Amino acid sequence: MSSLELSNVTKKFGTQETLKGIDLSLESGEFLVLLGASGCGKSTLLNLISGLLDPSSGSITLEGRVLNGTHPKDRDIAMVFQSYALYPNLTVGRNIGFGLEMRNVPKAEREKAVLDAAKVLQIDHLLDRKPSDLSGGQRQRVAIGRALVRKPKLFLFDEPLSNLDAKLRMEMRGELKRLHQMLGVTIVYVTHDQIEAMTLATRVAVMRDGHIEQLGTPEEIYNRPATTFVADFMGSPPINMFKGQHLPETRLIELELADTPIALDEAVLSACAQDIPAKVIMGIRPEAFGLEPIQGGISIDCVVEIVELTGPEKIVSLDVRGQRVIATFKPEQNFKPGDRVTLHASKDKISIFDAETGKCWA
């Protein structure tokens, strides 16, 4: 049985439909990330699961129990907010154990649970301090500890790292990953940060305009995007998109920016039930390009415009007949503006989309 099940869940605010028929099944121990831009509906979906909002239609079940109409406190769900929501006048220990205190859990049992959670989060030396004495990362650990001590069936995280600086965000990502691997808890996590999604999730639900555009593992989302939206949304630097067309009565794709048509693999053709679209878009990740020719691959002549060294890689922006193409290389590879280079990519690194629908064809 699935731990969490959403069936045809919708949410309307007046005439505005924010969520449009969400179907989602989450197994026990999964770390699901709801990923999308602001306004896509991801936080609304989280609030429906928590009980802070009621769905307009559809059902939400947790371990076989229907949650529709159930008060948030009776759902056995713990939520960690972006703002920490700590009590400033209470110590760290009392903040972590506050929920247990309100449930009249005996003091000795409560103190043991607080200490156990604090040790897991490596903040047991901070139990007597006040929130004002803590760093942002320490405050977030306290908020997580308050959720952890309850031992709920489901954890919900609403952009918990967005208030932290870049270094702290990276550290807390590692802590959350370690916590999930150690405890095997079930988590639904909302973010607009694709790095968080890729590094934390066992599965990612990419959301757009109130629906799930694609659901899959981080590897599937990145390497086999279902639509041009997902392909473009995931990845930094972003994917390169090339317009092209299918040459009639052939198995060739002609790209606007390449001189030689690309022959489609027989394996690709046999795996696709639909005919080759008349107009296509080819997506190629920046890291898929190389400088060595590839038999049967794609080749594009370019002029180097900008070279950016990030440390572990060089991001090279190139001009191809007025269109910008981005490629990444090892830092020792030398480029300078004005250099003429030919980029090569293997066909198995290319995604082909129907230009009319935006859906992946191969």
Side-chain angles (χ1 to χ4, degrees):
M1 179 183 293
S2 299
S3 177
L4 179 69
E5 188 89 29
L6 282 75
S7 179
N8 197 28
V9 171
T10 68
K11 181 61 181 177
K12 292 183 179 180
F13 295 94
T15 59
Q16 179 66 38
E17 190 174 31
T18 303
L19 292 177
K20 306 168 183 177
I22 300 293
D23 291 305
L24 187 60
S25 180
L26 183 64
E27 299 298 328
S28 179
E30 279 199 87
F31 195 131
L32 175 72
V33 172
L34 303 178
L35 176 67
S38 297
C40 70
K42 57 188 186 295
S43 290
T44 299
L45 182 55
L46 200 74
N47 287 332
L48 291 180
I49 297 170
S50 70
L52 297 177
L53 291 174
D54 294 319
S56 300
S57 64
S59 65
I60 302 173
T61 62
L62 181 62
E63 295 189 354
R65 177 191 173 204
V66 177
L67 297 183
N68 296 49
T70 304
H71 194 277
K73 70 179 180 62
D74 299 321
R75 294 192 174 207
D76 203 7
I77 292 173
M79 192 164 183
V80 179
F81 297 94
Q82 174 182 343
S83 61
Y84 316 140
L86 303 179
Y87 296 104
N89 59 319
L90 300 183
T91 64
V92 167
R94 286 201 63 195
N95 263 285
I96 294 176
F98 187 78
L100 301 181
E101 191 175 336
M102 292 298 98
R103 289 172 173 80
N104 297 315
V105 174
K107 184 178 180 181
E109 182 181 341
R110 187 169 70 237
E111 289 179 346
K112 182 182 184 303
V114 168
L115 182 59
D116 289 345
K119 285 180 177 178
V120 168
L121 294 164
Q122 302 176 11
I123 54 172
D124 48 305
H125 61 294
L126 303 175
L127 292 176
D128 293 327
R129 296 191 188 181
K130 296 287 182 68
S132 58
D133 300 325
L134 307 180
S135 68
Q138 290 169 336
R139 292 179 193 178
Q140 192 57 275
R141 284 185 175 90
V142 175
I144 294 170
R146 186 174 53 193
L148 186 64
V149 77
R150 291 176 48 195
K151 297 183 179 178
K153 293 177 180 175
L154 179 67
F155 287 87
L156 305 179
F157 288 83
D158 191 4
E159 305 211 38
L161 309 185
S162 59
N163 287 337
L164 305 180
D165 61 38
K167 185 174 184 295
L168 271 177
R169 278 202 306 272
M170 185 177 68
E171 291 176 359
M172 284 304 301
R173 284 203 308 267
E175 287 297 314
L176 287 170
K177 189 79 171 181
R178 180 183 67 86
L179 185 68
H180 181 253
Q181 290 174 345
M182 180 190 304
L183 302 177
V185 293
T186 307
I187 296 174
V188 179
Y189 186 105
V190 161
T191 186
H192 63 272
D193 187 327
Q194 58 175 277
I195 300 300
E196 286 182 27
M198 292 293 291
T199 55
L200 290 173
T202 56
R203 284 195 300 161
V204 179
V206 181
M207 295 190 65
R208 179 190 187 193
D209 296 333
H211 70 273
I212 295 175
E213 188 90 349
Q214 185 176 357
L215 175 65
T217 66
E219 292 81 7
E220 290 168 345
I221 295 291
Y222 187 79
N223 294 319
R224 295 186 293 281
T227 65
T228 52
F229 173 83
V230 175
D232 188 53
F233 189 79
M234 300 298 295
S236 181
I239 195 171
N240 297 286
M241 299 284 198
F242 302 98
K243 294 180 180 178
Q245 60 183 358
H246 171 223
L247 298 179
E249 299 180 0
T250 71
R251 298 191 173 192
L252 301 176
I253 296 292
E254 182 179 57
L255 295 183
E256 291 182 359
L257 303 181
D259 294 325
T260 305
I262 299 172
L264 296 174
D265 289 335
E266 289 300 322
V268 171
L269 291 164
S270 62
C272 294
Q274 297 176 328
D275 293 335
I276 305 171
K279 294 184 180 295
V280 302
I281 294 174
M282 281 197 173
I284 306 177
R285 296 284 181 195
E287 67 272 16
F289 284 117
L291 299 177
E292 296 295 326
I294 298 173
Q295 181 68 34
I298 180 175
S299 300
I300 303 175
D301 295 325
C302 313
V303 178
V304 174
E305 287 191 325
I306 301 170
V307 181
E308 301 170 273
L309 177 64
T310 66
E313 66 180 6
K314 275 183 179 173
I315 302 175
V316 184
S317 298
L318 309 102
D319 176 77
V320 186
R321 302 177 187 176
Q323 179 174 327
R324 174 169 289 187
V325 175
I326 298 177
T328 56
F329 297 93
K330 293 181 179 179
E332 58 267 23
Q333 184 70 54
N334 290 320
F335 296 96
K336 63 180 184 297
D339 284 351
R340 294 185 176 275
V341 300
T342 301
L343 299 178
H344 304 276
S346 173
K347 283 190 288 190
D348 62 6
K349 299 293 185 181
I350 297 173
S351 296
I352 304 175
F353 304 92
D354 187 323
E356 297 297 326
T357 65
K359 293 182 179 180
C360 185
W361 180 78

